[in-house]
Amino acid sequence: MITKGFELVMLIDDSSTDNFINERVIQMSGFSRQIITKDTGRIALEYLKTNIENSDKIPEVIFLDLNMPVVNGFAFLNEFKNLPENIKKISKIVILTSSEKIEDIDAVKELPIIMDYISKPLSEKSLQNLLLKL
Amino acid sequence: MGNKIKILMLEDLLADAEMIEYTLHKANFNFTTKRVETKEQYIKSFEEFEPDVILCDHSLPDINSEEALQIYKSKKSNIPFILVTGTVSEEFAVSILKLGAHDYILKDNLTRLPSAIANTIKQKQAEEDKEAAFIALRKSEEHFRRLIENSTDIINIIDKSGIIKYSSNSIENALGYKPEELIGKEIINYFHPDDQEKIKIMLKNSTDGFEGVNTVELMIRQKNNLWKCIEGIVKVYNPDGKNEDLIINSRDVTERKKNEELLKKQNTELEKINSELDRFVYSASHDLRAPLKSLLGLIKLAHMDMAKNDYGFIEKYFTMMEQSIEKLDNTIKDIIYYSRNSRTEITKEKIDFYELINETFDKVRYMGGMDEIEKIVNINNPYAFFSDKTRLSIVFNNIISNAIKYRDIRKDCRLVININTDIEKALISIEDNGIGIAEKYIDKIFNMFYRATEQSEGSGLGLYIVKETVEKLKGKIEVKSVAREGTEFILEIPSLQYTPAKF
């Protein structure tokens, strides 16, 4: 059980099953008190833009799936870069994905806004490791 | 001369004959003789004895030397005919030589006889050799001329400045020009403007003393003004060491070029197929592993909950596990259909559309949402329609699944299926009032692994399979859609009534 967790995190994944699983794991581990789930990168961005003034509505960690249709993880990252500084200061992005393409992993590791890369599915262990890094 | 020389002697005096033989023996001649005295014997001996030399005395009882010579000439013989006689006048000797005798020897000076015989024989041999050589040469020339003329290759000889000096006959067949038309003309005029540089370089190279062989590929203008692709091998041609001409051996490579182009095209296609395959394998394996990972996640959650005796979510976990497994199974089925469609034969059977659609509705019932959709089916099937039932099922299955997946839950969902057949084909329309497809994506929906909406949970293979299947049935498919209003798929499938059972 994690003692010092976060207040708010966001899950972005097109699979409702995976969102459910990850949400459950986060709940049970105590990694975060509140969890928001979004189905698409677009909807997630809309949420962030809407809550620009409201810093306690901005998630401290964003778990992002790379492989989504239309607006995939990379597209989200591109848009996220252009968001105002106060959002970028709060939200740390963690890539959560089953993508095995070397190019994807390397591309991701380079970006400064990415904190870490975790394989699906989330587990309490990987969350504990993440906590150490953050 | 290993063989015995056969000598025919026309001599009535035995003593004289023996004297001649004695002289020849002394000279180490290898010979046999036959002596004849009469005209009749003489004539007979030509055929029977087949002499190599004739020694003829001047006067015999029933024949003289002139007559003997006439007979010799009438036999068209070319063996040496030597007059061996007693004293004759100078004029007589000359006249007999003029008549065709090869030599004459005086009987009281027989020492000259051996060398006279030897020389005339040698001379005859030399003439025969010359004749044989001449015939052989003529045959050889004839042979080579025929080779050149029968060759489909074209042979040209041009001088250093590019003027044509010789053209083989084969040029007429190949390009339509008679050799005579080309002699004296500049070869550069017959080539394509783009190739003029190549020719100039070729001519220059050769005159610079280039020793080897140049190969050029050029477009040449035929008599009928069409272009032909020619490959020419150019070599310096210097038979008498004086001028330096060029000899060009050319052949028509149009066929070969066509094949090269075809090969290139096939290679490009193969590369495309290979990269498609790579993409497919990556996407397929990803799509197969994702549901398994979800499954794993759910199982772990179940473990964790059960360890705490919390059974609140167990039911939900199992439902989601089922969905993951269905998704996995469907992806695998899609892959199998995709691979099978291109390779299995089409079977022909009579189609019952009601049955087909009801089976499809049953199959997609697991998807949930089926019950919320109003289904309207109109079938007008006056003529028996024949097609491949399995393939049609796949088409219906995929399109109807999509209609359910992409329904707009804010509306009253509706699915309308209209089928009309005539004797040749079936026209099928499947229309929904779901979320539709944005105009910018409509062209791409049939692409492999393309998903046009964020709501998509599918593999992206469904419509690709539909398109391939319809094409395999030699039909057509069209899609009309307006975002947020709905989508209609229109298919035209030909009836297989008059085709064989399997193809």
Side-chain angles (χ1 to χ4, degrees):
Chain A
M1 194 60 183
I2 293 171
T3 40
K4 187 185 178 292
F6 291 97
E7 184 57 34
L8 174 63
V9 300
M10 181 192 278
L11 291 165
I12 310 178
D13 197 320
D14 64 322
S15 162
S16 50
T17 308
D18 287 351
N19 265 344
F20 172 78
I21 296 170
N22 294 331
E23 191 180 9
R24 220 35 211 122
V25 171
I26 292 174
Q27 266 171 3
M28 289 173 52
S29 68
F31 181 85
S32 175
R33 216 169 60 78
Q34 288 180 70
I35 305 159
I36 316 176
T37 62
K38 297 291 173 201
D39 281 6
T40 75
R42 192 169 49 84
I43 296 177
L45 284 165
E46 272 172 24
Y47 173 89
L48 292 172
K49 286 182 193 161
T50 314
N51 289 293
I52 252 176
E53 303 299 316
N54 216 335
S55 57
D56 44 306
K57 284 258 163 78
I58 301 295
E60 293 157 283
V61 182
I62 300 179
F63 292 93
L64 173 68
D65 178 25
L66 279 185
N67 187 26
M68 296 184 283
V70 187
V71 181
N72 65 12
F74 291 108
F76 173 85
L77 290 171
N78 269 329
E79 283 294 311
F80 183 83
K81 274 195 311 204
N82 301 329
L83 290 177
E85 274 308 309
N86 60 329
I87 296 186
K88 289 197 283 192
K89 258 177 59 181
I90 301 175
S91 304
K92 309 271 187 289
I93 301 187
V94 174
I95 301 293
L96 196 65
T97 188
S98 50
S99 174
E100 306 253 323
K101 261 194 185 155
I102 310 279
E103 304 91 70
D104 284 354
I105 300 174
D106 285 346
V108 153
K109 283 204 165 129
E110 299 301 309
L111 297 173
I113 42 175
I114 307 294
M115 269 290 111
D116 203 358
Y117 174 100
I118 303 182
S119 285
K120 284 198 218 182
L122 262 185
S123 65
E124 187 157 345
K125 188 147 197 260
S126 54
L127 285 172
Q128 280 173 343
N129 289 339
L130 186 59
L131 208 49
L132 294 173
K133 287 194 190 159
L134 296 172
Chain B
M1 281 194 259
N3 297 327
K4 283 189 194 286
I5 304 169
K6 292 190 280 187
I7 304 179
L8 178 65
M9 284 199 283
L10 214 59
E11 176 59 69
D12 58 336
L13 294 175
L14 185 55
D16 284 354
E18 282 174 353
M19 196 59 200
I20 291 169
E21 286 177 9
Y22 174 70
T23 314
L24 293 178
H25 275 305
K26 253 181 59 180
N28 288 320
F29 251 61
N30 189 6
F31 68 100
T32 63
T33 57
K34 181 172 171 73
R35 187 172 70 86
V36 295
E37 295 184 27
T38 68
K39 181 165 155 188
E40 199 188 313
Q41 285 173 343
Y42 172 62
I43 292 172
K44 224 164 94 169
S45 325
F46 262 104
E47 270 118 58
E48 290 175 2
F49 183 59
E50 290 180 342
D52 296 316
V53 181
I54 301 178
L55 299 177
C56 184
D57 188 15
H58 176 48
S59 58
L60 294 110
D62 76 340
I63 182 173
N64 68 15
S65 59
E66 280 153 328
E67 223 182 317
L69 191 53
Q70 296 294 3
I71 293 170
Y72 157 85
K73 276 161 78 166
S74 75
K75 297 275 179 201
K76 300 222 192 298
S77 178
N78 63 347
I79 58 179
F81 186 104
I82 301 175
L83 189 67
V84 183
T85 185
T87 332
V88 287
S89 65
E90 201 63 33
E91 292 100 9
F92 180 76
V94 167
S95 71
I96 203 83
L97 287 175
K98 274 199 186 149
L99 274 176
H102 292 87
D103 208 344
Y104 78 93
I105 307 281
L106 293 175
K107 277 188 185 169
D108 52 6
N109 189 13
L110 283 178
T111 45
R112 212 171 64 76
L113 182 59
S115 58
I117 295 178
N119 283 339
T120 45
I121 288 183
K122 246 199 283 188
Q123 209 177 23
K124 176 183 157 227
Q125 194 61 51
E127 274 171 19
E128 278 177 1
D129 286 349
K130 202 165 94 174
E131 181 75 25
F134 182 68
I135 291 176
L137 184 63
R138 265 235 312 266
K139 266 174 89 171
S140 170
E141 272 180 10
E142 192 55 40
H143 174 69
F144 282 110
R145 183 162 11 139
R146 254 191 248 120
L147 276 183
I148 291 183
E149 281 169 16
N150 282 324
S151 164
T152 49
D153 281 9
I154 304 163
I155 299 179
N156 284 306
I157 298 180
I158 60 175
D159 70 18
K160 279 186 289 197
S161 58
I163 307 263
I164 302 172
K165 286 169 82 163
Y166 166 80
S167 224
S168 64
N169 282 338
S170 45
I171 202 165
E172 187 163 4
N173 257 345
L175 303 173
Y177 299 107
K178 291 203 196 318
E180 308 87 79
E181 289 177 62
L182 301 171
I183 310 249
K185 302 270 168 45
E186 282 193 59
I187 202 167
I188 205 164
N189 293 330
Y190 295 90
F191 290 115
H192 197 276
D194 295 346
D195 290 331
Q196 306 259 331
E197 265 314 301
K198 269 196 218 173
I199 315 249
K200 296 210 180 103
I201 292 174
M202 177 183 85
L203 287 173
K204 183 174 181 307
N205 270 348
S206 319
T207 54
D208 284 351
F210 176 67
E211 284 288 306
V213 159
N214 260 322
T215 308
V216 278
E217 223 176 69
L218 309 149
M219 297 292 276
I220 198 167
R221 183 163 23 94
Q222 299 177 76
K223 178 105 188 196
N224 61 10
N225 274 321
L226 295 175
W227 294 98
K228 220 176 208 186
C229 194
I230 297 276
E231 179 187 74
I233 299 172
V234 187
K235 198 172 189 291
V236 168
Y237 183 61
N238 210 353
D240 39 12
K242 280 186 277 175
N243 54 358
E244 276 179 356
D245 294 336
L246 295 176
I247 185 166
I248 310 173
N249 201 317
S250 330
R251 65 173 58 106
D252 180 356
V253 292
T254 328
E255 210 41 54
R256 191 185 78 188
K257 288 231 77 111
K258 251 201 295 186
N259 288 337
E260 279 172 8
E261 285 303 320
L262 189 62
L263 203 63
K264 238 191 281 183
K265 215 174 70 156
Q266 286 172 337
N267 270 345
T268 320
E269 259 193 55
L270 266 176
E271 278 170 9
K272 190 180 96 162
I273 289 176
N274 269 341
S275 81
E276 253 187 36
L277 200 62
D278 282 342
R279 241 185 353 132
F280 177 80
V281 166
Y282 170 74
S283 295
S285 62
H286 178 273
D287 284 359
L288 291 173
R289 300 191 69 200
L292 287 175
K293 291 200 179 179
S294 304
L295 213 48
L296 199 60
L298 288 164
I299 291 173
K300 283 197 179 157
L301 283 175
H303 278 315
M304 292 195 313
D305 281 10
M306 281 163 68
K308 289 186 284 183
N309 266 316
D310 179 357
Y311 290 84
F313 280 101
I314 293 293
E315 198 62 50
K316 184 150 194 202
Y317 294 155
F318 279 132
T319 309
M320 293 181 117
M321 283 187 212
E322 269 181 318
Q323 284 174 347
S324 281
I325 291 174
E326 288 283 358
K327 194 164 160 190
L328 180 58
D329 196 33
N330 282 331
T331 303
I332 294 176
K333 274 193 269 185
D334 279 352
I335 293 174
I336 294 174
Y337 290 148
Y338 158 69
S339 117
R340 235 195 241 149
N341 181 51
S342 45
R343 283 182 285 127
T344 51
E345 291 174 338
I346 299 198
T347 50
K348 169 179 122 178
E349 49 204 302
K350 183 150 167 251
I351 304 292
D352 178 343
F353 282 109
Y354 281 111
E355 186 186 59
L356 188 62
I357 292 179
N358 280 328
E359 278 173 8
T360 309
F361 285 162
D362 275 341
K363 272 192 230 158
V364 301
R365 208 164 289 283
Y366 79 91
M367 282 176 72
M370 244 333 243
D371 304 322
E372 296 150 25
I373 302 180
E374 184 194 356
K375 301 170 275 289
I376 303 170
V377 180
N378 299 315
I379 300 178
N380 182 17
N381 191 1
Y383 296 98
F385 177 75
F386 290 82
S387 189
D388 183 317
K389 182 167 177 210
T390 315
R391 285 184 162 88
L392 275 183
S393 303
I394 293 169
V395 169
F396 274 89
N397 200 315
N398 274 296
I399 296 180
I400 293 175
S401 303
N402 280 355
I404 300 171
K405 262 190 254 177
Y406 305 119
R407 69 188 185 282
D408 190 343
I409 50 182
R410 299 170 296 190
K411 298 184 202 166
D412 294 328
C413 302
R414 197 170 54 246
L415 177 65
V416 181
I417 301 176
N418 281 312
I419 300 178
N420 286 291
T421 65
D422 64 32
I423 199 157
E424 295 181 331
K425 62 189 184 292
L427 277 167
I428 303 167
S429 153
I430 304 175
E431 190 179 353
D432 65 58
N433 63 347
I435 62 174
I437 306 167
E439 196 179 326
K440 52 184 170 172
Y441 301 134
I442 274 199
D443 296 330
K444 305 197 194 145
I445 58 170
F446 292 114
N447 294 349
M448 216 198 250
F449 296 121
Y450 187 79
R451 291 180 281 163
T453 165
E454 297 154 336
Q455 250 174 265
S456 168
E457 287 207 4
S459 61
L461 269 184
L463 284 181
Y464 177 78
I465 289 172
V466 164
K467 176 152 170 277
E468 296 274 293
T469 309
V470 167
E471 279 174 6
K472 183 91 177 171
L473 292 170
K474 306 228 190 299
K476 292 187 258 192
I477 182 167
E478 204 193 316
V479 62
K480 291 191 186 148
S481 184
V482 179
R484 286 189 291 271
E485 284 183 23
T487 308
E488 184 188 6
F489 284 93
I490 303 166
L491 300 104
E492 190 183 304
I493 313 277
S495 177
L496 301 177
Q497 176 144 33
Y498 300 111
T499 59
K502 279 188 195 294
F503 66 90

